[in-house]
Amino acid sequence: MALRSAPLALVLDDYHVITTPTIHHGITELLDYAPAQLRLVLISRERPPLPLDRLRVRGRLLEVRAVDLRFTEPEASELLAEFLGAQLDPTAVDALVARTEGWGAGLILAALSSHDQPLPAAQPAVFSGATPLLLDYVAAEVLARQSPELRDFLLRTAVLDRLNAPLCAALLDPPGDTAWSRRMLDQVERRGLFLIPLDPDRHWFRYHQLFADVLRTQLARESPLLAVQLRSRAAHWLAAHQLPDEAMSYALAAADWPLAADLLATLGRDMLIRGEIVTLRSWLEALPESLRRRPHLAMLGGWLLVLAGDLAGAETLALSEPLDALAAERRTMSAIIAVLRGRLPDPEQLAALHGEAWSDVPFLRAIAAVGRGLHIQLAGDARAAEATYREAIRIAHAGANLLIEFIALVQLGEVLILRGQLRAAERIYQQAHELAARVGAPDQHMVEIARVGLGMIAAERGDLAAAEHLIGPVAQQRTLLGDTAGLEALLALAEIALAHEQLDRVEVHLAAAAQLAEQSHATVFCCSLDVLQAELALQRGNRRAAVAWLHESRESSGLGLIDEVVDLGRARILLAIGRYDEALALLNRLAPLAEAGGRGRSLLETMVLRALALRGLGRQAEARQLVAAARTLGEPEGYTRLLAALDEWPAEPSGDDALTIRELEVLRLIAAGLDNAAIAAQLVVAPSTVKKHINRIFAKLDAASRTQALVRAGELGLLR
């Protein structure tokens, strides 16, 4: 061999089957004295008992480990295409690589298991430890080769998502031998049994996900009761070692309800603070009802129901029975529910909202501040509501209370729209969106709720398509997001559809909103729903129904903003049916209230509607003054949708035949060659609205066609 100049490779495959120490000693001697041209290649399923560390230090060792043998997506695609004789969908390949973690044998077994449903029609996600081919392969090629004690160790510890020696020891029979568990883990790792270290110190590990699946399937077949007991043991160990989040998942899987309830009582408030609503709700709902009625869990469930808008459910769960230890918190919740129902809180509830008792409980201080802001907002004082929500944001941020900070930001954005400050509101909703994005999965619905606010701003600016795009997903996910978010989204979509004169869509949105409103009983939304239903009836030509709604007797709620929603709706309908005197009287009462409350958007709407009422009464000079004032107030902030009603106003006070600003805009788009549909898209209005504008242009210019209208407009200098 020494006389040979060319490199020589000596390959020893399946080296793991060699157990004779003499052979290992001989290989060591060979490595120590081998000529330079010799390359020794050992292929083994486990680490061989050779001086590898010495060789590694001397730079004489090249190691190819399991991680190096993992197939990448392109490599897997090539392997499967060659094996199956057909190119696979990249999405299916990516899913299989993720599921198998690039394990070559796993990829081949997945392909073989799909013989009756060729990939990519087969779903890679269903390729699991219960797949017969994989189960048989691992049983024959892996488990059957292990000693009984190692096989038992693998099956017992497979119930764990991550494992270390002390945790594994808790699952032994009898439990407690940590040193033995450490030796077993070393043996598992040395034998290459799909054990993956999770930290540099090799303290925590996990099994390859498919290998763990196979082991769990095998354990469930051999001893299903033991699998449950092991998960319960794991839950108790994790809870005792301050890992309650992990303990909870095992307790639920083992149906260890008392432990799960104890853990949730500890975890729940922090989860609520972090905004982990979906997970928290699913954990609570998994518990038996008797345990959900424990005082702390009942309050936790009550807050979740309030957030979802299920006010009746919250009262039943959290407020129906006295909970002396939580009496002050119950009063805070009942005050918030009272406000959402459109009722004035009683003195005891108001005292709870002012929350002096919560100085040492940041969560309750923050939520009381939000409740206080909501009460002030619905009472109609937008300035004070803004200040209170800013205080709530400060308290929540200081206490790392992400959920309440998010809610306060969303409410502040709403108040800033009400105040007439669209640009400031947009900045706040962007801030809420960024905060929600930081919270992340599994509660991505918070991001969607923040997008509703941005959609509201787009609608106010007249970009109805963008508004619908932003708000639509929340309406579609209303079951997940709860009644409050769903109601707000559906009512906003109904308004947008009404602006587009898409009456069938308005009806669909309002029907869905009515179902949620029946559950929620949130008065502010119920009032908006009633107004929109009356406006829809009028648009449908059902004047009798609209007039009947006008004459319904209703008492004041005592909350100015709720009453204003109804009164502005009444004013719009009075104008639409030509009862200008009544509309003007109502609006003259509303305008000073809106101004006093700092509600700039409400004031702007009253100005627009008053101008229309005055025009209807023939009081043109007064109307023109209000038009100018409304534009001065609304245009800098971009309140395009509200001001659109004034587009019908003549550009110059030169008589009844003068073209309005909107008509001039339509005329110039006609001159540019646009058809009705293109003009409607450009102006973000319905085609029927464009047709009305064109008919009025023809009448005012004494024209019978577009061509005649353009000729006449040219003569009058209207196209400059």
Side-chain angles (χ1 to χ4, degrees):
M1 189 183 299
L3 297 175
R4 182 185 176 94
S5 59
L8 174 67
L10 174 59
V11 180
L12 300 178
D13 198 359
D14 287 339
Y15 192 83
H16 54 274
V17 303
I18 297 174
T19 58
T20 306
T22 306
I23 297 176
H24 297 316
H25 179 73
I27 294 295
T28 301
E29 290 286 317
L30 175 61
L31 289 170
D32 286 340
Y33 299 105
Q37 65 268 34
L38 177 64
R39 303 291 184 267
L40 178 61
V41 180
L42 297 184
I43 302 172
S44 175
R45 291 185 177 181
E46 57 188 70
R47 175 175 170 157
L50 300 173
L52 301 183
D53 294 331
R54 188 172 71 209
L55 294 170
R56 190 180 294 115
V57 169
R58 292 176 179 176
R60 295 179 57 196
L61 180 67
L62 174 64
E63 297 173 276
V64 181
R65 298 181 177 274
V67 67
D68 303 306
L69 297 174
R70 289 178 184 170
F71 279 71
T72 64
E73 283 81 358
E75 291 166 346
S77 180
E78 186 177 344
L79 172 71
L80 292 169
E82 183 177 343
F83 187 81
L84 296 172
Q87 195 68 38
L88 301 183
D89 185 311
T91 304
V93 174
D94 291 351
L96 270 177
V97 170
R99 186 76 182 116
T100 61
E101 299 188 49
W103 178 34
L107 291 166
I108 296 298
L109 290 169
L112 286 171
S113 69
S114 67
H115 66 279
D116 59 340
Q117 185 177 256
L119 290 169
Q123 294 297 315
V126 304
F127 181 60
S128 69
T131 303
L133 282 176
L134 178 61
L135 191 60
D136 293 344
Y137 177 85
V138 173
E141 294 294 321
V142 182
L143 291 180
R145 298 171 182 264
Q146 311 309 320
S147 65
E149 64 179 11
L150 182 54
R151 184 182 186 276
D152 181 66
F153 181 85
L154 290 170
L155 291 176
R156 284 174 175 269
T157 57
V159 301
L160 302 171
D161 295 322
R162 65 176 189 142
L163 51 148
N164 64 13
L167 176 53
C168 291
L171 306 190
L172 301 178
D173 204 2
D177 194 341
T178 300
W180 189 84
S181 288
R182 165 52 64 189
R183 290 195 298 273
M184 295 303 289
L185 282 172
D186 289 343
Q187 189 176 348
V188 170
E189 188 175 18
R190 189 171 61 250
R191 288 176 173 269
L193 295 177
F194 302 97
L195 188 67
I196 301 167
L198 297 177
D199 58 79
D201 297 330
R202 309 181 90 76
H203 181 66
W204 285 99
F205 300 85
R206 72 171 177 89
Y207 289 122
H208 184 291
Q209 57 185 339
L210 277 181
F211 184 59
D213 274 356
V214 171
L215 295 176
R216 290 166 188 163
T217 302
Q218 192 68 28
L219 179 63
R221 287 182 175 183
E222 294 180 12
S223 183
L225 183 58
L226 177 61
V228 173
Q229 292 170 348
L230 291 171
R231 289 187 177 94
S232 181
R233 282 200 215 173
H236 282 272
W237 187 93
L238 289 161
H241 289 80
Q242 288 74 52
L243 295 168
D245 296 73
E246 291 180 72
M248 187 68 187
S249 62
Y250 290 105
L252 291 174
D256 190 338
W257 305 125
L259 175 60
D262 290 343
L263 288 168
L264 197 52
T266 302
L267 291 170
R269 180 62 57 79
D270 287 340
M271 292 178 70
L272 193 63
I273 284 171
R274 292 194 300 267
E276 297 170 10
I277 304 301
V278 175
T279 303
L280 179 55
R281 186 187 305 159
S282 68
W283 284 1
L284 258 180
E285 290 173 351
L287 296 177
E289 185 177 355
S290 59
L291 292 177
R292 291 202 302 270
R293 290 195 172 277
R294 287 184 178 182
H296 284 88
L297 294 181
M299 286 304 301
L300 197 61
W303 286 121
L304 288 177
L305 291 169
V306 169
L307 291 170
D310 185 355
L311 305 182
E315 288 178 321
T316 300
L317 179 62
L319 305 182
S320 58
E321 298 177 14
L323 306 172
D324 293 338
L326 301 169
E329 186 172 348
R330 290 178 74 249
R331 285 195 295 274
T332 303
M333 182 184 292
S334 68
I336 291 173
I337 290 174
V339 173
L340 288 171
R341 286 190 182 283
R343 298 196 300 258
L344 287 170
D346 61 36
E348 192 177 63
Q349 291 169 334
L350 278 174
L353 286 183
H354 284 277
E356 287 80 2
W358 303 133
S359 58
D360 58 342
V361 187
F363 169 78
L364 294 174
R365 279 184 66 211
I367 206 166
V370 169
R372 204 159 58 244
L374 185 61
H375 172 237
I376 295 168
Q377 176 185 349
L378 294 182
D381 190 343
R383 294 188 191 90
E386 178 186 347
T388 305
Y389 286 135
R390 291 191 186 278
E391 178 194 2
I393 291 165
R394 180 185 56 76
I395 295 170
H397 186 77
N401 192 334
L402 297 179
L403 175 68
I404 304 304
E405 183 179 357
F406 173 80
I407 292 171
L409 283 167
V410 169
Q411 289 302 125
L412 176 59
E414 191 175 298
V415 164
L416 289 171
I417 292 176
L418 181 62
R419 292 211 62 197
Q421 299 173 13
L422 286 187
R423 290 197 296 273
E426 185 173 33
R427 289 193 295 272
I428 290 296
Y429 278 124
Q430 289 287 5
Q431 192 177 334
H433 189 277
E434 290 165 9
L435 177 62
R438 289 203 303 275
V439 172
D443 297 311
Q444 200 64 17
H445 66 283
M446 288 172 64
V447 173
E448 300 296 342
I449 292 173
R451 283 161 60 91
V452 171
L454 294 170
M456 301 283 196
I457 291 171
E460 293 287 1
R461 288 173 172 164
D463 192 347
L464 301 183
E468 194 166 16
H469 173 73
L470 287 163
I471 297 169
V474 175
Q476 293 164 9
Q477 299 176 50
R478 58 184 179 272
T479 301
L480 170 68
L481 300 172
D483 296 349
T484 302
L487 258 174
E488 190 168 18
L490 287 165
L491 293 172
L493 289 176
E495 281 194 56
I496 291 167
L498 196 63
H500 279 302
E501 299 180 17
Q502 298 168 338
L503 302 187
D504 290 341
R505 292 183 66 186
V506 176
E507 197 159 352
V508 169
H509 294 319
L510 292 183
Q515 288 182 338
L516 292 182
E518 192 174 345
Q519 270 179 271
S520 170
H521 304 294
T523 303
V524 65
F525 294 120
C526 294
C527 290
S528 297
L529 175 63
D530 289 346
V531 169
L532 284 167
Q533 285 173 330
E535 290 182 297
L536 174 63
L538 192 61
Q539 288 270 18
R540 289 265 192 214
N542 190 349
R543 181 185 173 107
R544 180 177 298 177
V547 171
W549 177 80
L550 276 178
H551 293 296
E552 284 180 8
S553 60
R554 53 176 66 83
E555 295 181 7
S556 169
S557 67
L559 296 170
L561 188 61
I562 292 176
D563 293 341
E564 182 182 80
V565 168
V566 176
D567 286 339
L568 285 172
R570 292 180 66 233
R572 289 193 297 271
I573 288 176
L574 287 168
L575 284 173
I577 62 177
R579 289 162 59 173
Y580 302 118
D581 279 326
E582 293 175 66
L584 186 59
L586 176 57
L587 291 163
N588 283 340
R589 178 173 63 81
L590 294 179
L593 295 175
E595 188 169 12
R599 303 191 300 277
R601 194 241 179 242
S602 302
L603 178 62
L604 177 61
E605 185 169 2
T606 63
M607 293 169 76
V608 170
L609 297 179
R610 285 162 67 206
L612 296 175
L614 288 166
R615 185 175 70 171
L617 293 169
R619 295 158 61 178
Q620 299 293 340
E622 295 172 76
R624 288 184 190 286
Q625 289 179 349
L626 273 174
V627 169
R631 286 182 173 144
T632 300
L633 179 63
E635 284 177 354
E637 289 289 339
Y639 278 95
T640 304
R641 185 163 63 122
L642 273 179
L643 295 175
L646 304 181
D647 289 344
E648 298 303 317
W649 218 270
E652 299 292 339
S654 55
D656 292 337
D657 288 337
L659 296 184
T660 66
I661 292 173
R662 179 65 92 181
E663 287 164 356
L664 283 171
E665 196 171 359
V666 170
L667 183 64
R668 286 163 186 155
L669 291 173
I670 292 172
L674 276 65
D675 61 16
N676 286 12
I679 294 171
Q682 181 88 7
L683 300 179
V684 198
V685 297
S688 59
T689 301
V690 173
K691 190 173 181 181
K692 290 175 185 175
H693 286 312
I694 291 174
N695 287 337
R696 283 195 290 267
I697 291 169
F698 285 0
K700 291 179 179 181
L701 297 181
D702 193 21
S705 67
R706 286 176 172 235
T707 302
Q708 288 183 11
L710 291 174
V711 170
R712 180 67 177 141
E715 293 171 352
L716 296 172
L718 298 177
L719 298 176
R720 295 188 200 126

